[in-house]
């Protein structure tokens, strides 16, 4: 497994928040993750895992900047959980994962960002 770059400090808060969504045929779902701390030094995101399904489209944005997709495969599958961004993406407040089901049947998708939220410098 690849090391997370940059590495977290001892006080950083782990982020591993799986969400499951059911998406109808031809529909999309957007899952948004936001900072837990009122003040922080941002997020570090080396991994975003999503259920890999044919006839699907995946897009990822951080703080309104698209960093992935649209693509026919996710950055990594939830069964792999591989580090997929080296160096890891860093952003301030918000992660948005959009999945579109292009098939003609309803499907279940699991979305799992893994990284950490930086804690302020002890001011």
């Amino acid at each position: 497994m690849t090391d997370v770059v940059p590495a977290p400090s001892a006080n950083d808060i782990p982020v591993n928040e799986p969400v499951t969504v059911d998406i109808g045929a031809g529909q999309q779902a957007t899952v948004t993750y936001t900072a837990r701390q009122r003040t922080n030094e941002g997020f570090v995101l080396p991994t975003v895992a999503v259920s890999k399904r044919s006839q699907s489209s995946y897009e990822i944005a951080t703080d309104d900047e698209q960093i992935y997709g649209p693509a026919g495969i996710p950055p990594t599958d939830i069964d792999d959980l591989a580090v997929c961004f080296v160096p890891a993406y860093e952003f301030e407040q918000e992660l948005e994962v959009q999945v579109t089901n292009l098939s003609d049947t309803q499907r279940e998708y699991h979305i799992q960002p893994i990284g950490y939220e930086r804690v302020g410098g002890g001011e």
Side-chain angles (χ1 to χ4, degrees), residues 34-105:
T34 56
R36 289 185 182 183
Q37 303 294 311
R38 282 186 66 187
T39 59
N40 69 26
E41 296 179 1
F43 288 92
V44 177
L45 183 72
T47 303
V48 177
V50 185
S51 300
K52 183 179 178 184
R53 305 256 187 266
S54 63
Q55 297 181 315
S56 298
S57 179
Y58 305 88
E59 296 181 54
I60 300 170
T62 57
D63 294 337
D64 296 322
E65 178 183 340
Q66 186 152 339
I67 62 167
Y68 186 83
I73 59 170
T76 191
D77 190 309
I78 60 165
D79 293 328
D80 297 332
L81 291 181
V83 169
C84 46
F85 304 121
V86 178
Y89 278 103
E90 297 185 48
F91 60 100
E92 294 300 317
Q93 292 294 315
E94 186 174 270
L95 167 68
E96 185 176 277
V97 180
Q98 181 176 303
V99 181
T100 304
N101 176 5
L102 303 171
S103 77
D104 58 2
T105 60

Side-chain angles (χ1 to χ4, degrees), residues 3-49:
D3 290 330
V4 175
V5 177
S9 70
N11 294 329
D12 290 339
I13 300 168
V15 173
N16 186 343
E17 298 184 23
V19 170
T20 299
V21 293
D22 288 314
I23 306 175
Q27 301 295 307
Q28 70 181 23
T30 301
V31 177
T32 303
Y33 300 88
T34 56
R36 289 185 182 183
Q37 303 294 311
R38 282 186 66 187
T39 59
N40 69 26
E41 296 179 1
F43 288 92
V44 177
L45 183 72
T47 303
V48 177

